[in-house]
């Protein structure tokens, strides 16, 4: 009998024409203003027109499928674009489990994927040894080419303060950053937030921009531990905006490699999926 696995991820517009509908879904049905759509479109244009996220997510799914073998039917379910999580559930065998391509749990992010799937799901995998090693190695690799006075910052997507009350997200981010720093033998590191929404709510900080503005170091190395792929929040918010802030201060900027379709980590994640399904 085949076991279903739904690999869940954020999703990205398939074409520039889909940007407005995508943005409306992210805003839970509230249409963005034409200015907001233009502003988002111009961020996509800066990174090449559309995001590489769709292709990378498919490659991540393929790695997990390859590791699980023929007894598993592995499909994709997106939060904000087609095929949606609900489409994947409708087509899935009764015996189906889920995994989200985001390592840390928050009820406001992973919690929504889990609820929409309605099947047993790995809620968090920020403690996966292969994933921690991947980041430690990526940090060490970059540090080899940076000045001695380099500050390492582990970032994740900010969330509004109100949704973080009683939520494990911050503690999980601290646990994995501490463990990566230990494995990479770092002395000078901190945690920061990025990509906060443009809403009047207070969002959790400090933002990576504030950290760079106040940094007393010759270089900053950003490790975006909260994300698994090269996408807009990394290629624009870090590689363009954060880099520019560092340039203005005469501080060197580097960013660690993203997980993307790394076979070692995704095979280890697939083993967690296998144990959940048995
Ligand atoms: O196309 C791409 O390459 C980018 C995809 C993308 C990823 C991503 C990851 C996360 N987000 C999270 C939370 C929020 C909250 C809001 C929000 C808004 C946006 C907008 C775009 C966007 N997000 Fe996203 N996010 C990605 C893209 N995100 C575009 C809208 C414009 C903007 O504000 O930049 C605020 C919603 C609101 O307005 O009410 C909250 C979290 C993650 C990481 C976990 C995950 O991947 O699921 C948390 C990738």
């Amino acid at each position: 009998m085949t076991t279903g696995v739904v690999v869940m991820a954020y999703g990205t517009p398939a074409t520039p024409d889909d940007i407005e509908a995508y943005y409306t879904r992210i805003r839970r049905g509230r249409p963005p203003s034409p200015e907001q759509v233009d502003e988002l479109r111009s961020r996509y244009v800066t990174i090449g027109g559309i995001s590489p996220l769709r292709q990378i997510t498919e490659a991540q799914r393929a790695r997990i499928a390859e590791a699980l073998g023929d007894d598993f039917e592995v499909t994709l379910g997106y939060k904000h674009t087609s095929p949606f999580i609900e489409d994947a559930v409708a087509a899935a065998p009764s015996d189906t489990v889920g995994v989200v391509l985001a390592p840390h749990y928050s009820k406001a992010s992973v919690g929504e994927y889990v609820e929409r799937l309605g099947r047993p799901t790995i809620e968090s995998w920020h403690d996966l040894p292969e994933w921690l090693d991947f980041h430690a190695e990526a940090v060490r690799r970059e540090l080899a080419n940076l000045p001695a006075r380099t500050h390492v910052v582990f970032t994740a997507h900010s969330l509004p303060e109100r949704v973080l009350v009683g939520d494990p997200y911050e503690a999980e981010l601290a646990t994995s950053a501490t463990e990566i720093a230990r494995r990479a033998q770092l002395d000078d590191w901190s945690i920061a937030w990025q990509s906060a929404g443009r809403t009047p709510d207070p969002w959790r900080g400090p933002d990576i921009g504030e950290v760079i503005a106040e940094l007393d170091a010759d270089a900053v190395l950003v490790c975006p531990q909260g994300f698994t792929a090269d996408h807009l929040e990394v290629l624009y918010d870090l590689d363009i905006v954060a880099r520019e802030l560092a340039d203005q201060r005469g501080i060197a900027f580097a960013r660690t490699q993203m997980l993307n379709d790394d076979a070692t980590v995704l095979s280890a994640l697939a083993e967690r999926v296998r144990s959940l399904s048995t």
Side-chain angles (χ1 to χ4, degrees):
M1 204 180 70
T2 310
T3 302
V5 177
V6 180
V7 173
M8 292 179 280
Y10 204 83
T12 186
T15 71
D17 287 345
D18 298 329
I19 290 175
E20 186 169 352
Y22 172 73
Y23 200 175
T24 304
R25 283 195 202 95
I26 290 179
R27 292 165 49 88
R28 299 177 191 287
R30 284 177 297 126
S33 66
E35 294 74 29
Q36 286 172 310
V37 177
D38 284 349
E39 193 275 330
L40 178 57
R41 194 184 303 281
S42 78
R43 276 187 272 150
Y44 280 110
V45 167
T46 309
I47 67 159
I50 54 163
S51 170
L53 184 58
R54 186 168 283 260
Q55 256 180 306
I56 296 169
T57 310
E58 170 50 33
Q60 292 172 320
R61 184 212 64 82
R63 285 283 191 217
I64 292 172
E66 193 182 305
L68 286 172
D70 292 344
D71 293 341
F72 291 80
E73 187 184 309
V74 185
T75 54
L76 283 176
Y78 290 120
K79 199 181 220 178
H80 295 301
T81 190
S82 172
F84 291 101
I85 296 167
E86 290 73 11
D87 302 327
V89 186
S94 58
D95 190 9
T96 285
V97 297
V99 60
V100 184
L101 293 175
H104 308 87
Y105 182 89
S106 163
K107 61 182 178 310
S109 68
V110 170
E112 186 186 326
Y113 292 93
V114 173
E115 199 179 308
R116 284 171 58 181
L117 187 71
R119 303 290 175 89
T121 300
I122 294 172
E123 298 200 340
S124 174
W125 46 276
H126 70 287
D127 58 344
L128 194 72
E130 292 80 357
W131 176 79
L132 294 164
D133 280 339
F134 175 91
H135 284 302
E137 182 50 39
V139 167
R140 274 196 297 261
R141 210 169 33 242
E142 295 299 326
L143 284 179
N145 300 316
L146 289 165
R149 268 175 25 96
T150 296
H151 181 75
V152 179
V153 188
F154 295 96
T155 62
H157 204 293
S158 179
L159 286 172
E161 291 285 355
R162 70 184 146 74
V163 308
L164 290 177
V165 178
D167 194 81
Y169 190 54
E170 184 168 20
E172 290 195 3
L173 291 166
T175 303
S176 57
T178 305
E179 189 51 32
I180 297 164
R182 190 186 70 74
R183 289 172 192 230
Q185 299 181 305
L186 303 183
D187 297 322
D188 186 14
W189 63 274
S190 64
I191 292 176
W193 305 80
Q194 63 164 93
S195 314
R198 294 154 174 79
T199 68
D201 287 353
W203 288 66
R204 179 57 56 92
D207 185 80
I208 180 66
E210 296 168 54
V211 172
I212 292 173
E214 285 165 19
L215 199 63
D216 177 21
D218 297 327
V220 59
L221 171 60
V222 182
C223 173
Q225 62 154 341
F227 302 109
T228 65
D230 285 305
H231 52 55
L232 192 69
E233 318 295 82
V234 171
L235 302 175
Y236 188 84
D237 294 354
L238 295 178
D239 293 1
I240 307 273
V241 179
R243 179 186 294 274
E244 205 170 285
L245 291 171
D247 283 353
Q248 283 164 8
R249 290 213 50 216
I251 294 170
F253 177 94
R255 193 257 296 164
T256 56
Q257 193 193 323
M258 300 306 290
L259 180 67
N260 294 330
D261 66 341
D262 180 84
T264 306
V265 176
L266 292 170
S267 303
L269 186 57
E271 289 317 309
R272 288 231 173 146
V273 172
R274 194 192 299 279
S275 3
L276 182 68
S277 72
T278 49

